[in-house]
Amino acid sequence: MTVVAIICAVLLGLTGLLCLVRIVRGPTMLDRTVAADVFTAACVGAIGVEAAVGRHGTTLPILVALALVAFLGSVSIARYAASQAAGGPT
């Protein structure tokens, strides 16, 4: 179990680092939004791995809240981008 946890931690850390690079270098707002969404998913995965290694379920509300905030943020930015593309109000 320890080897799996270490592999997951390395891969999730690499994912987080690459997402941060995309957030900084992203040429458009939508690129940054997708990178932030993937970064949040990686954070949820990391918290889930920590909960599995620690064998406790107390972090489940944190996972649910973080996933909900990420979803609502992505939807709001997508709606804003769609209104901008349609020439709607700013």
Side-chain angles (χ1 to χ4, degrees):
M1 182 69 171
T2 305
V3 174
V4 173
I6 291 171
I7 291 171
C8 288
V10 168
L11 290 176
L12 288 169
L14 183 63
T15 301
L17 182 67
L18 291 174
C19 286
L20 289 176
V21 168
R22 176 50 63 192
I23 289 171
V24 171
R25 293 186 56 198
T28 66
M29 179 182 63
L30 294 179
D31 287 335
R32 290 182 172 99
T33 302
V34 170
D37 199 28
V38 172
F39 182 76
T40 306
C43 288
V44 168
I47 293 170
V49 167
E50 188 274 328
V53 169
R55 296 184 187 269
H56 56 84
T58 57
T59 57
L60 184 63
I62 296 170
L63 293 174
V64 171
L66 190 58
L68 181 64
V69 168
F71 172 73
L72 291 176
S74 296
V75 168
S76 64
I77 290 175
R79 286 180 56 114
Y80 174 75
S83 71
Q84 290 296 317
T90 58

